[in-house]
Amino acid sequence: HPILHSFPTRRSSDLKDLIKRLQPDCFEDIIALVALFRPGPLQSGMVDNFINRKHGRETVSYPDVKYQHESLKSILQPTYGIILYQEQVMHIAQVLAGYSLGAADLLRRAMGKKKPEEMAKQRTIFAEGAKNNGIDPELAMRIFDLVEKFAGYGFNKSHSAAYALVSYQTAWLKAHYPAQFMAAVLSADMDNTDKVVTLIDECRDMNLNVVTPNINACKYLFIAKDEQTIVYGLGAIKGVGQAAIDGLIEERQKQGEFADLFDFCQRMDLRKVNRRTLEGLVLSGALDVFGETRATLIATLPAALKIAEQHSRNAAAGIQDLFGITPVVDQQKGPGTYHRLPEWPEEQRLHSEKQTLGLYLTGHPIDRYLAELKQFTSARIVELKPTRNQTIVVAGLIVALRTMNTRRGDKMAFITIDDRSARIELAIFSEGYQRYRDLLSKDRLIVVEGEVSVDDYSGGYKMSAKNIYDIDQAREHFAKRLLVKVDQQKAGNGFVSALQKILHPYCEGFCPVVIDYYRSDAKVPLLLGEEWRVHPTDELLHRLRDLAGSEQVDVIYR
């Protein structure tokens, strides 16, 4: 069956096609697959045996080609001769050795716990029972060894059937109603930020559009707007309680959408919606619908709250403002106005989303580096292939980090990096961990040199790290030169002294600086001396671009 072909690679991208092609008669196989796909040293081989036997690429035997008995065929036929369920272990003991159901359950427990003294006792009982049933003693003991080998990983079939039914139902929903299904799953786990992050990534893999929070459109839970769009749930914003959201939605239903920040503050019950709640809504992007920058909204919030509080006091006292204090959108006309500021830099905007949503929703910190990273990395993570004795370079944001102690007592680390195309796990052994531990923290962009290999456990790829750099270190390591373009007019207005002042704090680096000087009739590159080699950090590039122009500064790579 098609679903069995997909499982060795565990590619969820094939799910929609596979589920639509599933037939009810394959449900027995799904139950078996649920039991097979659990961590364990035997599981990988059992999966391969199961699939090969299913498709006729391996002889079906009961349970082994060399050691099998006809009486076991009816027991093992549903799993193509693979001893998979605990019930099969018990049934084999009944048929071959005459065990009662109670005694068979004791055998199952003993095999699961692997207690030597108990197993020795059970072996004797099994041998005696098989002899009394006329079974060849050597064959009986060979089958007992096979049963013991697999019983430690056996799964309860009734549990497997229940899990399989839920798996089939949810997989069917995910395949046929992807937006509705993912909205429901996100809502179920909206209090667990780590799960929300993973599920949003899954939505992107499924080509579903997750709309940013919007107080004029969102509800408490995630909802499906259409077949390809999910509207963010306000309940997933940190610091925004359900009482505040319920009040917001109720007011919106009664009086219509909110017009601006001042209208929103005046219409909300400030006992439920405090300043922290409002800041969370702003930082998450839920108030972007008002058409103002987030910097403007944060700067204006104190004045908006002051007006709302006065409005609330007047209403409580039965006082009607004859002058009708309304927010005039003009910075020069008093306290009821927006204090307009330019939008935050992308890094600050994304940080605010991470702070309130737990993830980067409208962008990714790696986005602004993609064009630059492309010049010295080997490939995006999704394009990686195993390399033997060949070093490759990849970059990504650290999204998961765990450490463990080695047998010698040293520490090593496993990190997962994400470059928005895919993820890969890196193993950093003790020597590398001690060397690079300062660079290993979540949400940090790193560049890694190492080798890629197949991960036998997950079926995907893994990577061993030889060298790790942050973006500034990687730029210095891989860059050929830092180029600053200057025309005749620019160079004559104190440019040289300003350039000297900017470069001086970043000197003693390894990256040469070249001034690409040009005028109407000539052009020449001027290489600065050794003492002007720099560390090409983000801060230096930012200052140079402020001086020379954003398009006039570039890092040239090999």
Side-chain angles (χ1 to χ4, degrees):
H1 197 279
I3 195 171
L4 302 183
H5 288 295
S6 76
F7 269 101
T9 57
R10 306 187 187 191
R11 290 182 57 191
S12 62
S13 60
D14 296 332
L15 180 67
K16 186 171 184 177
D17 177 60
L18 290 171
I19 294 300
K20 286 184 175 179
R21 293 162 61 189
L22 284 177
Q23 300 298 322
D25 62 0
C26 74
F27 190 68
E28 186 73 36
D29 291 339
I30 298 177
I31 297 175
L33 287 167
V34 170
L36 279 168
F37 278 90
R38 297 176 295 110
L42 291 178
Q43 300 311 109
S44 178
M46 291 171 69
V47 170
D48 292 338
N49 293 146
F50 185 93
I51 294 173
N52 289 334
R53 290 185 181 192
K54 163 75 178 179
H55 293 284
R57 296 189 291 268
E58 181 180 314
T59 303
V60 177
S61 50
Y62 307 99
D64 184 79
V65 175
K66 293 182 180 179
Y67 310 107
Q68 54 183 323
H69 195 276
E70 187 64 26
S71 64
L72 303 185
K73 182 175 181 179
S74 61
I75 302 172
L76 299 178
Q77 194 169 31
T79 55
Y80 311 102
I82 303 293
I83 303 172
L84 183 57
Y85 303 122
Q86 293 174 345
E87 288 87 346
Q88 289 174 319
V89 171
M90 296 170 63
H91 202 174
I92 289 171
Q94 283 184 284
V95 171
L96 286 186
Y99 275 64
S100 66
L101 281 175
D105 189 51
L106 293 176
L107 172 65
R108 174 193 63 79
R109 295 183 191 181
M111 287 182 168
K113 294 180 179 179
K114 299 181 174 66
K115 291 184 177 180
E117 63 278 3
E118 184 63 26
M119 284 309 303
K121 180 181 176 181
Q122 290 292 339
R123 179 177 286 273
T124 302
I125 297 173
F126 192 94
E128 185 67 26
K131 182 179 179 181
N132 294 337
N133 278 351
I135 307 295
D136 179 69
E138 182 180 357
L139 175 62
M141 287 300 95
R142 294 290 187 180
I143 292 176
F144 182 89
D145 291 338
L146 290 170
V147 172
E148 181 182 7
K149 176 182 177 182
F150 290 102
Y153 306 97
F155 199 69
N156 186 297
K157 186 176 182 181
S158 62
H159 290 181
S160 187
Y163 299 156
L165 180 60
V166 174
S167 299
Y168 187 94
Q169 290 170 334
T170 53
W172 189 90
L173 288 170
K174 185 177 182 182
H176 293 273
Y177 300 94
Q180 292 85 346
F181 175 81
M182 292 307 297
V185 175
L186 281 161
S187 297
D189 286 316
M190 66 194 308
D191 292 331
N192 188 329
T193 302
D194 290 339
K195 284 193 174 182
V196 170
V197 172
T198 303
L199 292 170
I200 292 292
D201 284 342
E202 178 74 5
C203 289
R204 288 169 177 152
D205 291 341
M206 296 167 64
N207 295 319
L208 296 176
N209 180 31
V210 181
V211 178
T212 54
N214 179 345
I215 61 166
N216 280 335
C218 297
K219 296 184 178 180
Y220 182 78
L221 301 176
F222 290 81
I223 58 173
K225 183 178 179 181
D226 54 46
E227 293 301 317
Q228 293 299 124
T229 308
I230 296 173
V231 179
Y232 214 91
L234 295 178
I237 302 174
K238 294 180 182 180
V240 181
Q242 184 165 1
I245 297 171
D246 289 344
L248 183 157
I249 295 172
E250 183 180 356
E251 176 63 25
R252 190 177 70 200
Q253 291 173 342
K254 287 180 180 178
Q255 303 294 332
E257 295 184 350
F258 301 101
D260 53 36
L261 178 63
F262 301 95
D263 178 51
F264 178 66
C265 290
Q266 289 181 36
R267 288 168 57 184
M268 294 304 299
D269 184 348
L270 297 182
R271 293 170 296 181
K272 296 180 180 179
V273 182
N274 56 29
R275 180 164 180 166
R276 182 187 174 193
T277 300
L278 291 168
E279 287 177 347
L281 290 170
V282 172
L283 295 177
S284 67
L287 303 188
D288 289 356
V289 65
F290 296 150
E292 302 292 337
T293 67
R294 296 180 193 179
T296 295
L297 292 170
I298 286 291
T300 308
L301 189 55
L305 283 172
K306 186 176 179 180
I307 292 174
E309 289 167 356
Q310 182 62 50
H311 176 80
S312 179
R313 286 194 295 268
N314 290 347
I319 299 172
Q320 184 175 1
D321 188 351
L322 295 177
F323 299 99
I325 299 176
T326 56
V328 181
V329 185
D330 186 336
Q331 273 187 266
Q332 309 301 321
K333 293 188 178 180
T337 62
Y338 281 116
H339 179 59
R340 283 202 171 83
L341 295 174
E343 183 57 281
W344 289 325
E346 183 183 32
E347 185 176 1
Q348 186 176 355
R349 174 174 56 80
L350 293 176
H351 176 73
S352 70
E353 292 178 6
K354 179 74 173 179
Q355 179 183 342
T356 52
L357 302 176
L359 68 150
Y360 306 109
L361 190 61
T362 61
H364 196 279
I366 201 173
D367 286 347
R368 64 191 179 112
Y369 296 109
L370 285 178
E372 184 177 9
L373 291 171
K374 188 177 181 181
Q375 298 184 61
F376 59 84
T377 54
S378 306
R380 302 290 297 275
I381 293 176
V382 73
E383 301 166 344
L384 290 179
K385 295 180 180 179
T387 56
R388 180 175 295 179
N389 300 323
Q390 180 182 351
T391 299
I392 58 98
V393 181
V394 295
L397 206 69
I398 299 177
V399 295
L401 168 65
R402 59 187 175 91
T403 59
M404 62 178 293
N405 293 322
T406 65
R407 292 181 180 178
R408 295 185 303 174
D410 300 325
K411 276 197 171 183
M412 65 177 295
F414 294 93
I415 65 173
T416 303
I417 62 172
D418 182 331
D419 70 348
R420 296 209 81 180
S421 71
R423 294 182 174 184
I424 191 169
E425 185 176 72
L426 309 175
I428 305 170
F429 299 102
S430 54
E431 183 179 345
Y433 179 76
Q434 292 300 322
R435 184 177 176 185
Y436 300 116
R437 61 188 304 173
D438 291 341
L439 299 179
L440 304 181
S441 59
K442 286 191 69 173
D443 301 319
R444 186 164 194 168
L445 177 62
I446 60 171
V447 177
V448 184
E449 290 181 309
E451 294 182 10
V452 177
S453 58
V454 175
D455 187 340
D456 294 329
Y457 180 78
S458 69
Y461 295 149
K462 61 182 179 180
M463 184 175 179
S464 58
K466 293 181 179 178
N467 297 304
I468 301 176
Y469 314 93
D470 64 20
I471 186 62
D472 292 338
Q473 294 168 343
R475 189 181 288 126
E476 185 165 4
H477 178 75
F478 293 103
K480 185 176 181 181
R481 62 184 179 273
L482 173 59
L483 185 66
V484 181
K485 301 176 184 177
V486 185
D487 63 18
Q488 182 179 14
Q489 183 179 1
K490 189 79 172 179
N493 296 323
F495 178 85
V496 174
S497 59
L499 177 64
Q500 180 182 17
K501 186 176 181 180
I502 290 174
L503 292 179
H504 188 267
Y506 302 93
C507 287
E508 299 184 2
F510 297 98
C511 183
V513 178
V514 175
I515 307 299
D516 198 3
Y517 178 76
Y518 59 95
R519 62 188 191 193
S520 59
D521 60 340
K523 178 180 179 181
V524 61
L526 304 172
L527 175 63
L528 301 189
E530 294 281 337
E531 67 274 19
W532 291 103
R533 289 183 175 238
V534 296
H535 301 290
T537 66
D538 278 346
E539 182 63 26
L540 173 59
L541 297 180
H542 178 71
R543 293 187 179 189
L544 288 175
R545 284 168 179 150
D546 281 346
L547 174 67
S550 59
E551 302 298 324
Q552 304 301 101
V553 179
D554 199 7
V555 181
I556 308 301
Y557 292 92
R558 301 185 181 90

